Structure formats: C-alpha cells, structure tokens
C-alpha cells in the first residue's frame, strides 16, 4: 500500500498537467478563431465540451468521483 500523501501529490501534479494541456489546446485553437471569426462559437463550444469531458473522466477515474480540493486547485 502506497503512502496516502504520495498518491495525493501525484494526483495533484496530474491535475496541474491536465490543466496545462487544456490551456494549450485553447491556445492552439486561437489562430483558427482569429482567421475564421464565424467559427468562433463552434470552436469554443467544441473546446468546452472537450475540456468538460476530459476533466469529468479524470475525476471519475483518478479520484473516483469524489471532489477533492487539491484536485480543483491543480
């Protein structure tokens, strides 16, 4: 059995990496939104759905659906 603190620290680091990945995706979509202003709503909607599903799956699998403050901070 692992030390509980090390598991929580690993989960916290993974949530930080997940947030960075979601932010990177948003930055990568920015040139498309600037070139095609008509697609801004569609791209933003797709981004929100992707981010929502990614965070939802992370919370279900990694922290077993229990909201933890350190994961939300990450």
């Amino acid at each position: 059995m692992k030390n509980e603190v090390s598991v929580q620290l690993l989960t916290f680091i993974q949530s930080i990496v997940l947030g960075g990945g979601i932010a990177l995706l948003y930055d990568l979509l920015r040139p498309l939104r600037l070139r095609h202003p008509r697609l801004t709503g569609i791209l933003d909607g797709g981004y929100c759905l992707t981010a929502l599903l990614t965070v939802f799956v992370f919370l279900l699998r990694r922290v077993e659906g229990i909201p933890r403050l350190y994961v939300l901070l990450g």
Side-chain angles (χ1 to χ4, degrees):
M1 184 173 176
K2 289 185 177 179
N3 187 359
E4 191 69 27
V5 175
S6 65
V7 173
Q8 290 176 353
L9 182 62
L10 178 64
T11 304
F12 178 66
I13 292 170
Q14 287 174 342
S15 66
I16 290 172
V17 170
L18 176 64
I22 291 172
L24 178 65
L25 175 64
Y26 189 76
D27 287 341
L28 291 175
L29 288 175
R30 189 168 195 267
L32 284 174
R33 290 192 338 261
L34 291 176
R35 270 192 211 142
H36 307 288
R38 293 182 194 162
L39 296 178
T40 299
I42 294 170
L43 290 172
D44 285 349
Y47 166 78
C48 287
L49 285 176
T50 302
L52 176 72
L53 288 174
T54 304
V55 170
F56 180 71
V57 169
F58 177 78
L59 288 174
L60 278 181
R61 291 194 176 173
R62 190 65 191 146
V63 293
E64 299 167 353
I66 301 169
R68 306 215 185 257
L69 185 59
Y70 63 89
V71 174
L72 296 175
L73 289 174

